[in-house]
């Protein structure tokens, strides 16, 4: 039986471990935290959103970034201080702009395919993750945003995802609690939401039942390979331990770039920070005043999900500021204000803020497949769609490993 190491215990690492175990590999997973899904997979927006497949590689994104550069509460914030990593990433981002339509269509195709695997796994393993299949409603306050969404819908349809335009009256019927004035919206009935942390934890237990050896509180410091064996080193100095495997899959989020460099590969992931708030709905009025249908506000770049009866998640924004996990109040306050404006009956006395670093490739496409060495593989760089794409990319990389290491 071939032995495979997986570095990283977030949504991509756990789904990859599960998919490889199902194929009969002896899998060992390394995670530096005490539990699975404690970083970027902890408190994201909750959307399983094929309808959010549009990649960001277009001129409008660049113009918005320049316009908002000095505005601390802007949805997209770029620290103007230059670093070689940031400059190289943005150069590749611009170079990928001609592939905007192709990559959007391919992302939609992957997202649609991912659902089958994720729903199947959750049902087979009895995982409760506050799954809500109420669809996702994109909301637009002006004609410009609405018209752009129409063009995106054509691309999504080519990727196998139907969605329909809705009037303000239809928006009210779909989600009666939503306040404000809107030009129109787009509704994707097949999209859904859920708690990524609960799902990942549940699947980690299922993977362990399949024989995956999960090693938590193990801080991997170095990975190497001679093409036949992969060596994973944990810790430093006298406390360092060395583990040997037939192959390794890097699923380490923003740390993947560092490990890839050790293995002779270039994986130009940049850490794009996103924020979320979880509003605790502690009274009946708040519970009645919170939406059941998931929303995506394209103007403010915020998404929502209803997690069970008593939690409401709002997430979004993108901050290019390197490895910085600080939770900034000036980035959290716009999320709270948005809740108070759009859902005035929600009491915001109990709000839990969070920030995570999305591992984002310049072309907005995940890195899935082989490295330079024949026994090195990657499943990383999913950006803001890690939750949405995780099940299909895990199945894809498991298939690549099985083909390379039968």
């Amino acid at each position: 039986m071939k032995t495979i190491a997986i570095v990283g215990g977030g949504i991509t690492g756990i789904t990859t471990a599960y998919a490889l175990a199902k194929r009969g590999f002896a899998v060992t997973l390394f995670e530096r935290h005490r539990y699975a899904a404690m970083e970027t997979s902890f408190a994201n927006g909750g959307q399983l959103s094929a309808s959010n497949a549009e990649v960001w590689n277009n001129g409008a994104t660049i113009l918005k970034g320049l316009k908002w550069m000095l505005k601390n509460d802007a949805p997209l914030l770029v620290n103007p201080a230059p670093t070689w990593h940031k400059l190289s990433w943005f150069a590749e981002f611009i170079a990928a702009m001609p592939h905007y339509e192709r990559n959007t269509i391919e992302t939609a195709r992957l997202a649609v395919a991912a659902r089958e695997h994720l729903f199947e796994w959750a049902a087979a393993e009895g995982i409760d993750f506050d799954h809500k299949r109420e669809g996702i409603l994109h909301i637009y306050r002006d004609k410009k945003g609405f018209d752009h969404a129409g063009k995106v819908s054509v691309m999504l349809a080519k990727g196998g995802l139907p969605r329909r335009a809705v009037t303000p009256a239809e928006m009210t019927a779909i989600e009666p609690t939503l306040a404000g004035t809107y030009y129109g919206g787009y509704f994707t009935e097949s999209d859904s939401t859920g708690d990524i942390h609960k799902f990942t934890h549940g699947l980690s237990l299922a993977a362990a039942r399949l024989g995956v050896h999960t090693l938590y509180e193990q801080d991997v410091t170095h990975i190497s390979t001679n093409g036949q064996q992969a060596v994973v080193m944990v810790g430093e100095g006298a406390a360092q331990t060395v583990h040997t495997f037939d192959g390794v899959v890097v699923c380490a989020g923003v740390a993947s770039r560092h490990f890839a460099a050790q293995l002779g590969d270039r994986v130009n992931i940049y850490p794009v920070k996103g924020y979320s708030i979880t509003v605790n709905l502690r009274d009946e009025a708040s519970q009645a005043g919170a939406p059941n249908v998931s929303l995506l506000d394209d103007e403010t770049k915020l998404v929502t999900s209803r997690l069970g009866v008593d939690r409401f998640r709002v997430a979004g924004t993108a901050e290019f500021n390197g490895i910085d996990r600080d939770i900034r109040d000036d980035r959290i306050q716009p999320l709270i204000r948005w809740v108070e404006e759009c859902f005035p009956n929600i009491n915001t006395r109990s709000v839990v803020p969070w920030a995570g670093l999305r591992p984002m490739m310049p072309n907005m496409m995940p890195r899935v497949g082989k490295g330079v060495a024949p026994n090195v593989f990657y499943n990383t760089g999913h950006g803001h769609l890690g939750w949405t794409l995780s099940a299909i990319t895990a199945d894809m990389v498991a298939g690549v490993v099985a083909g390379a290491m039968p």
Side-chain angles (χ1 to χ4, degrees):
M1 185 184 289
K2 295 286 186 181
T3 58
I4 304 290
I6 294 176
V7 180
I11 184 65
T12 55
I14 295 297
T15 51
T16 300
Y18 183 80
L20 282 168
K22 295 277 277 187
R23 282 171 168 78
F25 287 91
V27 180
T28 300
L29 181 138
F30 295 87
E31 166 54 43
R32 70 189 186 94
H33 291 287
R34 190 178 180 184
Y35 311 101
M38 294 304 292
E39 285 200 20
T40 309
S41 301
F42 184 74
N44 74 351
Q47 289 189 336
L48 291 160
S49 51
S51 60
N52 198 18
E54 181 191 10
V55 298
W56 299 358
N57 306 83
N58 57 46
T61 303
I62 293 172
L63 290 174
K64 287 175 182 175
L66 292 171
K67 182 179 76 173
W68 288 333
M69 191 169 283
L70 300 177
K71 190 179 177 187
N72 286 342
D73 61 353
L76 173 62
L77 183 64
V78 180
N79 184 333
T83 65
W84 172 246
H85 184 197
K86 192 189 300 179
L87 292 171
S88 72
W89 192 93
F90 276 112
E92 290 180 44
F93 178 91
I94 293 167
M97 286 172 64
H99 309 299
Y100 159 76
E101 182 172 342
R102 184 191 71 191
N103 287 346
T104 295
I105 293 168
E106 176 63 10
T107 302
R109 188 189 69 78
L110 288 171
V112 171
R115 293 172 178 161
E116 293 180 32
H117 295 286
L118 192 140
F119 296 167
E120 232 175 69
W121 296 348
E125 304 297 346
I127 301 171
D128 173 18
F129 62 105
D130 292 329
H131 192 203
K132 216 167 182 57
R133 302 179 77 159
E134 301 283 345
I136 293 179
L137 176 65
H138 283 60
I139 61 177
Y140 301 94
R141 292 174 177 80
D142 55 41
K143 184 177 187 299
K144 183 181 178 183
F146 181 81
D147 288 348
H148 176 74
K151 296 173 184 175
V152 173
S153 288
V154 174
M155 291 184 274
L156 297 179
K158 290 179 181 177
L161 181 74
R163 70 172 184 175
R164 60 186 172 93
V166 289
T167 65
E170 289 173 314
M171 291 169 64
T172 301
I174 291 167
E175 185 44 69
T177 64
L178 177 63
T181 303
Y182 302 93
Y183 181 87
Y186 274 85
F187 186 49
T188 312
E189 295 178 71
S190 58
D191 274 343
S192 60
T193 58
D195 187 323
I196 185 174
H197 180 75
K198 289 179 73 172
F199 176 85
T200 309
H201 172 70
L203 196 68
S204 72
L205 300 180
R209 290 194 295 270
L210 287 174
V212 173
H213 190 202
T214 49
L215 297 176
Y216 294 109
E217 296 183 282
Q218 302 292 302
D219 193 3
V220 173
T221 52
H222 197 270
I223 312 172
S224 61
T225 180
N226 62 7
Q228 299 296 316
Q229 286 190 319
V231 177
V232 177
M233 297 184 180
V234 176
E236 301 277 6
Q240 187 175 74
T241 57
V242 179
H243 307 261
T244 304
F245 303 91
D246 294 315
V248 61
V249 187
V250 178
C251 305
V254 297
S256 298
R257 175 174 175 262
H258 170 70
F259 291 130
Q262 295 177 351
L263 293 161
D265 293 304
R266 185 171 183 273
V267 179
N268 195 17
I269 282 172
Y270 193 86
V272 181
K273 184 157 64 170
Y275 292 83
S276 80
I277 58 172
T278 303
V279 185
N280 292 311
L281 308 173
R282 290 183 168 172
D283 55 74
E284 289 184 10
S286 294
Q287 292 169 11
N292 284 300
V293 173
S294 178
L295 304 174
L296 195 154
D297 185 339
D298 263 338
E299 181 183 329
T300 60
K301 302 302 179 190
L302 294 182
V303 306
T304 76
S305 56
R306 181 73 177 267
L307 303 175
V309 175
D310 58 358
R311 290 185 300 150
F312 179 50
R313 176 78 48 78
V314 179
T317 77
E319 185 177 313
F320 290 78
N321 196 27
I323 301 288
D324 175 12
R325 294 182 174 85
D326 291 348
I327 300 175
R328 291 173 45 176
D329 184 64
D330 58 355
R331 307 290 286 156
I332 292 295
Q333 288 305 316
L335 277 64
I336 298 173
R337 287 196 299 271
W338 185 90
V339 172
E340 292 169 348
E341 290 167 7
C342 295
F343 301 98
N345 291 328
I346 293 180
N347 187 318
T348 54
R349 285 180 57 224
S350 179
V351 171
V352 181
W354 173 86
L357 300 177
R358 308 181 188 101
M360 200 163 278
M361 295 289 289
N363 65 353
M364 310 295 290
M365 303 296 289
R367 172 68 183 270
V368 183
K370 295 173 72 172
V372 172
N375 62 343
V376 172
F377 309 88
Y378 296 92
N379 183 20
T380 188
H382 296 64
H384 65 299
L385 291 177
W387 178 212
T388 297
L389 301 178
S390 57
I392 188 64
T393 61
D395 191 65
M396 287 165 60
V397 79
V400 172
V401 174
M405 305 179 66

